[in-house]
Amino acid sequence: NVKLLSNFIHNIIDEDLKEGKYAEGIHTRFPPEPNGYLHIGHAKSICINFGTAQKYSGLCNLRFDDTNPTKEDVEYVDSIQEDVKWLGFTWQDRKFYASDYFDQLYGFAVKLIENGKAYVCDLTADEIRQYRGTLTETGKESPYRNRTVEENLTLFAQMKNGDFADGTRVLRAKIDMSSPNITMRDPVIYRIAHIHHHRTGDKWCIYPMYDFAHPLSDAIENITHSICTLEFEEHRPLYNWLLESLGFDIMTRPKQIEFARLNITNTVMSKRKLRQLVEGKYVSGWDDPRMPTISGFRRRGYTPESIRDFCEQIGVAKSNSLVDVAMLEHCVREDLNEKADRVMAVLKPLKVVITNYPDDQCEYLLADNQPNSDNHRYVPFTKELYIEQTDFMEEAPKKFFRLKPGGEVRLKHGYIIKCTDVIKDDAGNITEIHCTYDPDSKTGGATAGRKIKGTLHWVSAQECLTAQVRLYDYLLREDEDPEKDFIANLNPNSLITIDDCKIEPSVAWAAVGTKYQFLRQGYFCIDKDTQKDHLVFNRIVGLRDSWAK
Ligand code: ATP
Ligand code: MG
Ligand code: MG
C-alpha cells in the first residue's frame, strides 16, 4: 500500500473535481517509450501516476509510447512490465500501445487537413528548422503552407501509401509561425519512415510525432491528467491546440501537468547514456548492479518498498533539483534494517587458532537473526576460525579495541578470546593468530558478563562457505559535467571483486535475491551469477548512513 502525501498535482485534481470536471473519475497513465530499460527516474513517474490513481480510486494505464520504431524493441516492452510489477503496481487489463491507435491517429490527421489545420510540406528537415526561426526572430512561412485541402489530402494519402522516400515530405500543423513559442510554429506531426515496427510490421511507412500522438492517445484512453516532466511545458499549448482543434470537450479532455524530473548525484539518468554504458560494455548489462535502472537496483538488492519510500520522500515539485544519492541509500538501509537477517561473513580472512579448544570439536552456538527477534539459527564454532584482517593489529594504538597481542575480544554469539601468539611466514607476513578462549564466557556461562570493549564477527574455518563478494561504488566519479563527455567521468573503481570471502553456512540454501546484513559490514544480496559451489554476493549498501535530514 502506498502512502500518499498530497502534492501540487493533487491540488489541481481537487480543484478540477470541485469545478465538476472529470465526473467519470480520475484517470492517469504511465507512458514509457520501449527503447531501453526503466531507471529510477521512471520509478518516480510510476509512483506518481499509479499512486495518484490509487488515491482517487481511479485508473492508471500502462501505455507503450511506441511511435518511433527506430530504437524500440520487445525486449524493452517485457522488461518494463516486469519492472512496473516489481515496484508493486498493476495495470490489470489496462495495457495499451500507442501503435494500436495508428489508424485513429491517421484519421485525426486527415480531419485536421479537412479543417485547414494541417498541410503537407516539402521543405527538408534543415529548411524547416531554419524557417521556424529562433527565440529572437519570428518564423517564416513555408511556401507549401497554402496548399489546398484537396492537394493536402492527396499528398498525405500518397505519403501513407509509400509513394515518397523518407525525409521528402512531412505533415505539419498549421498554427502560427510568429508565435513566441517555437513549438507552435507549424510543428511536424507526421514523418515518412520506411522502418519495420515491432508491432505493426510494415503496415505503416509514416509515423506520428510524439507531440501529435501523445495528447491524442491520452484523449483516446480518456486520460484526465497527463502527468509529464517539465521539459514538456512548452509543448502544452500544442497539446491543448490539438485537442481543441479536434473538438474534445474541455470538461472531460485530458490536461497536461508537468513536474520536475528526478536527478540524483553521482547518477547517470538518461536512457541514451545508459544504453551507451551497456553497448560500450562499461557495465555487464542493463541490470548491472551499478546501473540506476530498476532492474539494476533489483539485482543489487534494493527492495521495491525502499524505492517507493524514496519516491514518496523526495516529493513532487515544479522546479528541477538534484537529490543526494545518500537519501536513496538511507531508504534501503531503513527497510533492510527491519527485514534482513543478520549473518557473519569475513571479507578478508585472517586465521585464528584457539589453542586450548579441542581439536575435532564443533559446537553450535545460538545466534539471533535480528535484534530482539525470536528467530534464531546456529553457527558452528571450531578450533580454527577466521576473523577480518582489519580486526587485528600487531602494533595497535591505545584506542584499538579489536584484537591485538595480549588483548581480549568477544566473538559475537560466542566466547571471549585472548591473543597469545602471532605466527608469520619467512617474509614476515602474518599467517595466523593463536588465541586461548575463556570456556565460561559464552551466554549463560560464569564469565559471560565480563566487560570486553571489542566484539568481532567471525566464521568457523572448517564449517564455512566461500563466496565472491562484489563491492560497488558510484558509476560517476563526480556530478556530471554537461560540457564533458560523461564517459570521461566514469569511476574506474566502481566494481571491486573480492574472492575467497568466508561466510557462515546458514546461507547455503538461500535463493538468489536473498538479502542479509553482514554484521559490521553492510547489506548484501545473493546475486544471480551464483551457481552450485560459486556463491556471489552484491553489496547493496554499507552500514554507515551519510544522509543528513
Ligand atoms: P530518458 O530521457 O531517460 O530516455 P524519457 O522521458 O525519454 O527518459 P520515457 O520512456 O519517455 O523516457 O518516460 C516515460 C515517463 O517517465 C515519461 O512520462 C517521463 O516524463 C517519465 N520520466 C522519465 N525520466 C524521468 C525522471 N528522471 N524523473 C521523473 N520522470 C521521468
Ligand atoms: Mg519520452
Ligand atoms: Mg528519451
Side-chain angles (χ1 to χ4, degrees):
N1 219 352
V2 193
K3 285 179 286 176
L4 282 166
L5 305 176
S6 67
N7 58 48
F8 82 93
I9 295 175
H10 298 158
N11 297 343
I12 293 175
I13 295 176
D14 291 340
E15 280 302 311
D16 286 339
L17 291 173
K18 243 190 261 164
E19 287 169 24
K21 285 181 158 183
Y22 310 120
E24 303 279 297
I26 298 307
H27 200 158
T28 58
R29 86 287 169 267
F30 171 63
E33 184 179 355
N35 62 350
Y37 281 60
L38 297 181
H39 53 60
I40 182 95
H42 295 112
K44 178 176 179 183
S45 175
I46 292 168
C47 289
I48 293 174
N49 280 295
F50 282 93
T52 297
Q54 280 180 15
K55 173 167 173 166
Y56 290 92
S57 304
L59 300 169
C60 181
N61 295 356
L62 172 63
R63 182 200 312 146
F64 291 101
D65 196 346
D66 57 348
T67 54
N68 178 10
T70 16
K71 294 172 288 165
E72 294 165 4
D73 198 276
V74 273
E75 177 194 350
Y76 304 133
V77 170
D78 295 341
S79 75
I80 288 168
Q81 296 181 69
E82 192 184 347
D83 291 349
V84 174
K85 271 192 232 159
W86 179 77
L87 272 178
F89 298 100
T90 44
W91 54 87
Q92 282 147 346
D93 56 350
R94 312 205 60 77
K95 178 173 83 183
F96 303 101
Y97 293 85
S99 57
D100 287 346
Y101 310 139
F102 281 166
D103 283 301
Q104 286 173 83
L105 295 174
Y106 182 79
F108 285 133
V110 168
K111 198 168 162 194
L112 283 182
I113 296 174
E114 287 169 348
N115 295 338
K117 292 186 167 173
Y119 61 96
V120 173
C121 181
D122 302 0
L123 294 179
T124 64
D126 269 346
E127 286 166 339
I128 290 178
R129 203 172 307 118
Q130 277 166 25
Y131 275 58
R132 290 181 83 190
T134 62
L135 279 179
T136 50
E137 52 180 359
T138 94
K140 200 165 86 182
E141 294 190 354
S142 159
Y144 305 99
R145 199 172 198 262
N146 296 313
R147 279 178 159 152
T148 64
V149 169
E150 278 62 42
E151 195 183 357
N152 281 318
L153 285 173
T154 309
L155 284 170
F156 190 49
Q158 285 179 300
M159 278 171 63
K160 176 188 183 231
N161 294 338
D163 293 352
F164 306 125
D166 290 2
T168 54
R169 286 188 168 84
V170 293
L171 185 70
R172 297 176 68 177
K174 191 171 179 176
I175 308 181
D176 179 4
M177 289 309 287
S178 63
S179 169
N181 181 345
I182 298 175
T183 304
M184 298 299 275
R185 296 182 190 169
D186 292 9
V188 174
I189 58 177
Y190 260 94
R191 67 197 171 103
I192 303 171
H194 291 80
I195 330 173
H196 187 85
H197 187 283
H198 67 102
R199 285 177 58 83
T200 59
D202 296 314
K203 179 176 174 194
W204 294 90
C205 62
I206 55 170
Y207 290 98
M209 304 302 287
Y210 175 89
D211 276 345
F212 179 77
H214 203 84
L216 296 170
S217 301
D218 283 344
I220 290 168
E221 292 178 12
N222 296 315
I223 300 303
T224 58
H225 295 84
S226 179
I227 303 166
C228 65
T229 40
L230 275 181
E231 66 273 22
F232 291 101
E233 198 167 9
E234 278 143 45
H235 302 237
R236 193 185 338 130
L238 175 55
Y239 187 102
N240 292 334
W241 182 90
L242 283 165
L243 296 178
E244 180 79 46
S245 302
L246 290 162
F248 289 96
D249 180 0
I250 187 101
M251 293 303 278
T252 52
R253 78 185 191 210
K255 167 186 254 184
Q256 176 177 305
I257 305 174
E258 309 87 15
F259 70 97
R261 261 181 123 70
L262 172 64
N263 295 301
I264 304 180
T265 55
N266 297 86
T267 307
V268 195
M269 194 96 81
S270 113
K271 268 184 280 182
R272 186 178 57 76
K273 288 181 179 172
L274 295 175
R275 180 201 302 270
Q276 215 178 318
L277 291 176
V278 173
E279 287 174 355
K281 301 215 172 358
Y282 296 99
V283 293
S284 63
W286 286 97
D287 71 345
D288 185 300
R290 291 166 291 178
M291 290 282 272
T293 51
I294 295 179
S295 52
F297 282 116
R298 175 167 62 235
R299 179 168 170 195
R300 172 102 166 231
Y302 273 68
T303 57
E305 293 79 6
S306 63
I307 293 179
R308 292 203 306 259
D309 183 37
F310 171 71
C311 291
E312 194 61 50
Q313 291 203 31
I314 53 178
V316 186
K318 267 190 275 197
S319 57
N320 281 318
S321 65
L322 192 60
V323 175
D324 191 333
V325 65
M327 184 174 175
L328 177 60
E329 294 167 355
H330 168 79
C331 290
V332 71
R333 215 179 261 120
E334 287 224 306
D335 193 37
L336 292 177
N337 183 39
E338 300 285 314
K339 291 178 180 159
D341 281 350
R342 276 59 172 163
V343 294
M344 294 196 285
V346 173
L347 302 191
K348 300 229 171 103
L350 171 63
K351 184 168 281 182
V352 169
V353 180
I354 313 289
T355 50
N356 60 339
Y357 196 83
D359 279 356
D360 297 318
Q361 185 166 316
C362 176
E363 66 181 303
Y364 287 86
L365 302 172
L366 192 67
D368 50 342
N369 288 344
Q370 290 190 17
N372 316 315
S373 121
D374 291 333
N375 294 324
H376 294 92
R377 69 192 187 285
Y378 289 94
V379 280
F381 186 92
T382 51
K383 188 182 181 79
E384 296 196 350
L385 310 169
Y386 291 116
I387 63 168
E388 211 68 61
Q389 285 170 17
T390 49
D391 280 338
F392 177 79
M393 251 180 118
E394 199 175 10
E395 315 273 344
K398 247 200 145 114
K399 294 260 160 135
F400 186 80
F401 297 121
R402 291 169 269 166
L403 199 59
K404 54 192 166 191
E408 282 187 311
V409 291
R410 176 175 287 283
L411 296 179
K412 182 75 180 173
H413 307 306
Y415 299 97
I416 294 170
I417 58 169
K418 179 176 189 164
C419 173
T420 53
D421 273 300
V422 181
I423 314 299
K424 296 180 183 174
D425 62 14
D426 293 342
N429 302 310
I430 299 174
T431 53
E432 57 187 48
I433 305 295
H434 286 186
C435 293
T436 55
Y437 83 116
D438 173 354
D440 291 328
S441 61
K442 78 169 171 179
T443 312
T447 52
R450 259 204 310 130
K451 287 265 178 294
I452 299 291
K453 276 236 159 121
T455 300
L456 305 186
H457 63 274
W458 55 276
V459 297
S460 155
Q462 282 93 341
E463 299 295 326
C464 66
L465 304 171
T466 298
Q468 181 185 84
V469 171
R470 298 173 182 170
L471 305 179
Y472 301 107
D473 198 349
Y474 306 125
L475 269 176
L476 284 192
R477 246 191 310 221
E478 58 213 68
D479 291 333
E480 233 179 294
D481 174 357
E483 300 304 312
K484 206 159 139 193
D485 174 19
F486 87 104
I487 295 290
N489 268 340
L490 289 180
N491 174 2
N493 302 314
S494 58
L495 166 63
I496 293 174
T497 302
I498 316 180
D499 290 304
D500 291 319
C501 301
K502 305 296 182 186
I503 182 160
E504 59 169 82
S506 69
V507 306
W509 303 104
V512 169
T514 307
K515 297 148 189 72
Y516 295 100
Q517 184 192 99
F518 289 1
L519 283 183
R520 300 173 65 224
Q521 314 262 19
Y523 295 96
F524 292 78
C525 173
I526 299 186
D527 187 74
K528 71 171 191 187
D529 284 347
T530 292
Q531 286 168 7
K532 190 175 178 292
D533 301 324
H534 182 62
L535 193 52
V536 182
F537 279 93
N538 298 313
R539 183 172 66 191
I540 309 166
V541 69
L543 284 181
R544 201 177 319 143
D545 200 330
S546 59
W547 170 241
K549 276 184 196 170

